[in-house]
Structure formats: structure tokens, C-alpha cells
Amino acid sequence: MNYRSVISLFALSVLLSACQPAQDTKLDEKEIKQRGQKAATALKVGLLGQLQPAMKAGGPVAALPMCKVAGPALTTAASDSMPGISIRRTSDRVRNPDNAPDALDRKVLEIFQSAKGNKAELPTEHVEWLPKSKDSKAPVARYYQPLMIKELCLNCHGAKDQIKPEVLALIQKLYPDDQATGYQAGDFRGLIRVDIAPLASQ
Ligand code: HEC
């Protein structure tokens, strides 16, 4: 091996190690996924656990205001019960503008959407490492899981002529800029996003 190729090999290894932002944090991808999965499951179970009985008892008109309150409340509750975790839901077509994606969320939304366009298999999860921060309590990674449209969701996210007029009227009153109708069962609806920070012991 000549001098030049040693230099370029060295440069390559420096470059490669720079591409592994996980390296100098104490959280590895396996742990990010474990904590992310736990948080995402808690949110899904919590949302469905509230939505299904409310829909049964009073239909979507009764469930909708609850959804407005319960969605954010549940994400806060789940975030609070798991240290170092913060959960959101986001989509490329939001109902509540507070759930709008940021630049990194948009990049991940595109990854999931292009999988759909190519008929490639939709990823079941996705991890993005965040730029390093001086704050040791700042999140180091984001864990994402897709949210898919089921029959139940069509009551409030289906085609406008499928949604009961009184439900549609309430949606339009509460969310004048709503973009989250027109879905079909099986569609990709959006993402659960879990921001994960190191625990105090790490
Ligand atoms: C009873 C009506 C109702 C049903 C049923 C419903 N949603 Fe929603 N959904 C809403 C409302 C209202 C919001 C806005 C919540 C808020 O203010 O944060 C929302 C927000 C969301 C968001 C956050 C992004 C955004 O658009 O603001 C996602 C993702 C979502 N719903 C997915 C689903 C999925 C998946 C299902 C089925 C499992 C479902 N929803 C069932 C009413 C409903």
C-alpha cells in the first residue's frame, strides 16, 4: 500500500466515523428503538382505548371533542410517565395546525410516502439522530412509527361525503384549516414521533 492510499484510507475512516452521530452519545439505536416502541404503543393503546368506547356510546360527534382534548392530553400523560420522552403526532395533512411537521418530520414523512408510491414495503419504524447539543438533557434521537387509517378512523378522516354532516360541521368549526379528510382504509395517515433524551444515569 503506498503513501497516498494510506492517506485516503485514513480520510475515509474519518469520514465514516463522522457519519455515525450515535457514537459519542451513550444511547445506542437498540435502546432508542426500545424506548420509542414503548412510548408509541402507550399512545396508540391510550388513544384507541378512549376513542372506541366514546364512539360506541355517542358516535363520532361525542368522540370528536374528546379527541381534541384527549389527543394532546394523552401525549402529555405518556410523555410525563416516561422520563426523557416527549411524544407528538404529525402528518403531511394536519387537522390541528399545532401538529404540523418540522423540517426533519417532513423528511421522514417523505420516506414513508415514497415507500407507498413505489409499492415498497412501508417501514414499521424509523430513527433519526439529532445534531449534538450542549444540553445533556436534550433529545438525541427521534423515533417514528407510521399511523395507518382503519375503518374506525373514516368516521372523522374519510371522504367528506362519508362523514356524517353534523361531524363534518363540527370538524370545520373546530379546525377551519382542516386537511385531514379524504382518506381510505389502509392509507398512510401520519407519524407518531417520540423525542428521546438520555436518562439522568446516562
Ligand atoms: C371522533 C373523530 C376521530 C376519529 C374516529 C379519529 N380521529 Fe384522528 N383526529 C381527530 C381530531 C379532532 C384530531 C385533531 C386533534 C388535535 O387537536 O390535536 C385528529 C388528529 C389526528 C392526527 C394528528 C395530526 C393532525 O391531523 O392534526 C392523526 C395522526 C390522526 N388523527 C390519526 C387518526 C387515526 C389513525 C385514527 C383511527 C385509528 C383516527 N385519527 C381517528 C378526530 C378523529
Side-chain angles (χ1 to χ4, degrees), residues 63 67 89 94-96 99 148 152-153 156-157 175 189:
C67 214
R89 289 187 304 170
V94 286
R95 174 150 292 167
N96 185 339
N99 299 327
M148 310 303 288
L152 168 80
C153 320
C156 303
H157 295 295
Y175 306 96
R189 165 72 176 94

